[in-house]
DNA sequence: CGTTAGGGCGCTATCGCCCTAACGGTGCTATAGT
């Protein structure tokens, strides 16, 4: 079959981008596939095209509501109508309508949380599933182990659905994350199509500052000089908001902030304004990024450094998708090291909270009481657990069968709590290690590009002309032309300026 | 680490100061009925 012909007929593209055809052919062949394709190479085509060609319904697990809505809308605008997203935007009635006739759809987008509902699983069991797709599959590894544990149940579900061809697709995953994805999904055989994370058109720079005030002053300097549009990453919401205001006070226009605390409407608005070019700069937390399809982002600044190399690569990778020269700047000062450590520690239940849970469960068990929804609420309130931590806890209590169909196994409580403590400790160690890797990268004195490629088990084959601060790069090409000129003029004395103007005839 | 919220205290205080503890980032869901 001529895949190119179908590609043209359905999507209007004449040729495949690197990797797309290979992935599609493997899927059409019935293989399970792990694919890592660079950002901006049209990852969704990899499953959309075979989903439309194959018999049955493709299930696409997607991490964000906005991603699902985006893709459904895009497909519909291309005349592909048999697509749907099952999520909380739907009314009960709408949801029921779709679930009752799932087989009529070619592609159904769904969150891992919705996917775990018994109604949905029941409906899925009775239809033919063409593909089981995990979009942004690094979420399994990055989020599944902590605050979105439903990601860890996908493997079991896939088995229950009789193992239809599975595609796990992402832009950024180390070898270790790739292994984790395959293991969590319980894929017995997998065909991997892994392409380079190398982004030659993004120049890398890291700067050290003695304290936070110096950093703020320099951020303002950089932002005034750099050619936009740009993204500035912070690791707290308050910082993102305050610096957006500060930049506006400095006379920089079209700046907004974005973080998970905004309501859906505002988030959508800012995304749209940034994509449409009405905003030049977004000060954001790591909430901003996935699903932002903007080609011409010229720079990404990290005011705070991300928690691991993968996140760094993901975030700087939002620059220069059009292939034009772009700039990634990381601003570091020593006191930054403590924030991520403390974030991590509050993420999972503490030992004290776990001891409290243990007491609570033993009390229920002694009285021969069932574990009800009220108990979930009580535990969360009494121990002061975040929602993420609570879900982490429930996931492991259920997985280790301390709580099984509302029954509590008294003999297992103590051991399980201990083993959860162990899991948390391992998890913390891993994450702290990742932060150290990040700080090592920042403090290293070798080529930045070679360093991160090595981290992803790749070799630097060809060094771009404008590489990194260690290899030397000419910053001028990333500057805002107008401001660059006026800065030069400002340094001149008035009579020099006049002379300049005469000679340049401006 | 830095910021902030909240409690205690002084002893002219429905105020102002100081100290301490807590927090800091990512997202999904809701199974009924006019």
């Amino acid at each position: 079959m001529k895949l190119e012909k179908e590609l043209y007929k359905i999507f209007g593209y004449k040729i495949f981008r690197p990797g797309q055809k290979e992935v599609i052919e493997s899927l059409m062949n019935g293989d399970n596939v792990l694919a890592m394709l660079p950002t901006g190479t049209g990852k969704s085509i990899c499953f959309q095209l075979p989903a439309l060609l194959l018999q049955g319904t493709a299930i696409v697990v997607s991490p964000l509501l906005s991603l699902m809505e985006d893709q459904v809308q895009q497909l519909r605008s291309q005349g592909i109508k048999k697509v749907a997203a099952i999520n909380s935007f739907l009314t009960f009635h709408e949801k029921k309508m779709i679930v009752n006739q799932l087989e009529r759809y070619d592609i159904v987008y769904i969150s891992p949380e919705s996917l775990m509902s018994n109604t949905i699983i029941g409906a899925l069991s009775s239809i033919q599933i063409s593909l089981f797709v995990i979009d942004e599959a690094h979420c399994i590894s990055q989020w599944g182990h902590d605050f979105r544990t439903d990601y860890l149940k996908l493997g079991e579900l896939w088995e229950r659905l009789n193992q239809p061809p599975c595609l796990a697709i992402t832009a950024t995953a180390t070898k270790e994350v790739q292994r984790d994805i395959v293991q969590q999904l319980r894929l017995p055989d997998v065909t991997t199509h892994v392409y380079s994370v190398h982004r030659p058109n993004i120049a890398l720079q890291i700067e050290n500052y003695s304290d936070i005030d110096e950093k703020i002053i320099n951020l303002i300097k950089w932002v005034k000089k750099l050619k936009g549009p740009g993204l500035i990453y912070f690791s707290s919401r308050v910082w993102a908001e305050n610096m957006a205001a500060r930049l506006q006070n400095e006379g920089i226009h079209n700046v907004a902030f974005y973080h998970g605390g905004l309501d859906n409407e505002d988030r959508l608005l800012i995304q749209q304004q940034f994509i449409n070019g009405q905003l030049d700069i977004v000060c954001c937390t790591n909430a901003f990024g996935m699903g932002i399809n903007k080609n011409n982002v010229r720079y990404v600044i990290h005011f705070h450094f991300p928690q691991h190399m993968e996140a760094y690569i993901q975030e700087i990778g939002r620059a220069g998708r059009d292939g034009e020269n772009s700039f990634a700047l990381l601003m570091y000062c020593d006191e930054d090291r403590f924030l991520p450590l403390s974030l991590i520690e509050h993420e999972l239940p503490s030992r004290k909270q776990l001891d409290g849970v243990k007491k609570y469960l033993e009390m229920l068990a002694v009285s021969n009481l069932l574990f009800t929804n009220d108990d979930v609420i009580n535990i969360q309130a009494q121990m002061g657990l975040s929602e993420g931590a609570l879900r982490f806890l429930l996931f492991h209590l259920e997985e280790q069968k301390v709580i099984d169909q509302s029954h509590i196994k008294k003999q297992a409580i103590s051991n399980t709590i201990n083993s959860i403590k162990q899991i948390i400790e391992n998890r913390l160690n891993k994450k702290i290690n990742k932060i150290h890797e990040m700080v090592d990268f920042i403090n290293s004195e070798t080529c930045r590009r070679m360093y991160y490629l090595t981290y992803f088990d790749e070799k630097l084959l060809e060094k771009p002309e404008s590489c990194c601060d260690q290899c030397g790069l000419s910053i001028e090409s990333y500057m805002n032309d107008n401001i660059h000129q006026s800065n030069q003029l400002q340094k001149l004395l008035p009579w020099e300026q006049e002379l300049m103007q005469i000679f340049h005839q401006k």
Side-chain angles (χ1 to χ4, degrees), chain A residues 324-382:
Chain A
E324 299 289 316
N325 279 343
S326 308
F327 189 58
L329 171 68
L330 191 153
M331 311 180 90
Y332 178 77
C333 71
D334 254 350
E335 57 197 68
D336 295 345
R337 284 177 301 152
F338 299 93
L339 176 58
L341 287 175
S342 133
L343 277 178
I344 285 173
E345 272 173 26
H346 291 289
E347 180 173 37
L348 298 173
S350 66
R351 298 185 87 84
K352 208 170 134 195
Q353 286 170 326
L354 285 170
D355 288 335
V357 173
K358 182 177 154 190
K359 253 190 209 152
Y360 191 102
L361 290 177
E362 279 169 344
M363 190 190 72
L364 281 183
V366 167
S367 324
N368 261 329
L369 291 170
L370 289 178
F371 188 82
T372 65
N373 211 27
D374 284 345
D375 295 312
V376 175
I377 294 164
N378 286 341
I379 283 179
Q380 179 171 20
Q382 283 177 27

Side-chain angles (χ1 to χ4, degrees), chain A residues 207-216 235 239 303-305 331-342 435 439 442-443:
Chain A
E207 295 199 330
N208 267 283
Y209 301 100
S210 53
D211 59 41
I212 197 82
D213 290 327
E214 196 191 340
K215 197 151 92 165
I216 293 171
S235 51
W239 268 103
F303 188 83
H304 295 122
F305 66 86
M331 311 180 90
Y332 178 77
C333 71
D334 254 350
E335 57 197 68
D336 295 345
R337 284 177 301 152
F338 299 93
L339 176 58
L341 287 175
S342 133
I435 292 175
V439 175
I442 291 166
N443 291 326

Side-chain angles (χ1 to χ4, degrees), chain A residues 138-174:
Chain A
H138 59 278
C139 292
I140 293 175
S141 203
Q142 214 162 296
W143 288 353
H145 295 288
D146 309 317
F147 78 107
R148 290 186 76 178
T149 46
D150 285 325
Y151 263 107
L152 300 189
K153 300 181 191 163
L154 291 174
E156 190 194 341
L157 181 70
W158 178 69
E159 287 176 349
R160 280 180 67 182
L161 297 176
N162 294 323
Q163 309 180 327
C166 176
L167 167 67
I169 188 161
T170 174
T172 326
T174 57

Side-chain angles (χ1 to χ4, degrees), chain A residues 17-24 37 46 193 195:
Chain A
R17 290 189 175 159
Q20 286 179 331
K21 193 177 180 185
E22 290 81 351
V23 172
I24 293 170
L37 301 188
C46 293
H193 295 286
Y195 291 81

Side-chain angles (χ1 to χ4, degrees), chain A residues 103 121-128:
Chain A
E103 68 278 0
I121 296 175
L124 287 176
S125 313
S126 64
I127 63 163
Q128 185 186 356

Side-chain angles (χ1 to χ4, degrees), chain A residues 160-363:
Chain A
R160 280 180 67 182
L161 297 176
N162 294 323
Q163 309 180 327
C166 176
L167 167 67
I169 188 161
T170 174
T172 326
T174 57
K175 284 263 155 59
E176 194 192 348
V177 171
Q178 291 170 28
R179 273 196 298 274
D180 192 29
I181 290 171
V182 173
Q183 191 190 338
Q184 294 301 336
L185 290 175
R186 306 188 183 181
L187 305 179
D189 313 291
V190 69
T191 308
T192 46
H193 295 286
V194 172
Y195 291 81
S196 174
V197 293
H198 184 29
R199 299 288 303 281
N201 62 319
I202 303 175
L204 308 169
Q205 171 135 333
I206 298 179
E207 295 199 330
N208 267 283
Y209 301 100
S210 53
D211 59 41
I212 197 82
D213 290 327
E214 196 191 340
K215 197 151 92 165
I216 293 171
I217 291 165
N218 277 284
L219 175 70
I220 294 166
K221 269 193 200 162
W222 272 112
V223 169
K224 283 185 175 171
K225 285 190 294 194
L226 284 171
K227 201 189 303 173
L231 287 175
I232 311 174
Y233 277 98
F234 298 86
S235 51
S236 90
R237 296 174 176 183
V238 174
W239 268 103
E241 288 190 20
N242 291 350
M243 285 310 298
R246 181 74 192 270
L247 290 175
Q248 279 165 351
N249 286 341
E250 293 286 335
I252 299 161
H253 300 295
N254 302 330
V255 184
F257 61 83
Y258 182 105
H259 55 63
L262 302 179
D263 55 41
N264 272 335
E265 243 171 75
D266 288 337
R267 291 177 70 151
L268 213 65
L269 181 72
I270 290 166
Q271 279 190 28
Q272 283 310 315
Q273 287 182 331
F274 186 63
I275 289 170
N276 296 337
Q278 293 151 293
L279 282 171
D280 288 330
I281 299 169
V282 179
C283 297
C284 57
T285 62
N286 58 352
F288 197 72
M290 254 196 280
I292 308 288
N293 282 320
K294 185 174 174 65
N295 283 330
N296 63 336
V297 176
R298 289 279 69 86
Y299 66 86
V300 171
I301 296 177
H302 280 96
F303 188 83
H304 295 122
F305 66 86
Q307 290 192 10
H308 36 82
M309 292 293 285
E310 291 98 305
Y312 174 71
I313 295 303
Q314 276 161 29
E315 285 163 6
I316 68 167
R318 286 170 193 140
R321 293 194 180 172
D322 53 8
E324 299 289 316
N325 279 343
S326 308
F327 189 58
L329 171 68
L330 191 153
M331 311 180 90
Y332 178 77
C333 71
D334 254 350
E335 57 197 68
D336 295 345
R337 284 177 301 152
F338 299 93
L339 176 58
L341 287 175
S342 133
L343 277 178
I344 285 173
E345 272 173 26
H346 291 289
E347 180 173 37
L348 298 173
S350 66
R351 298 185 87 84
K352 208 170 134 195
Q353 286 170 326
L354 285 170
D355 288 335
V357 173
K358 182 177 154 190
K359 253 190 209 152
Y360 191 102
L361 290 177
E362 279 169 344
M363 190 190 72

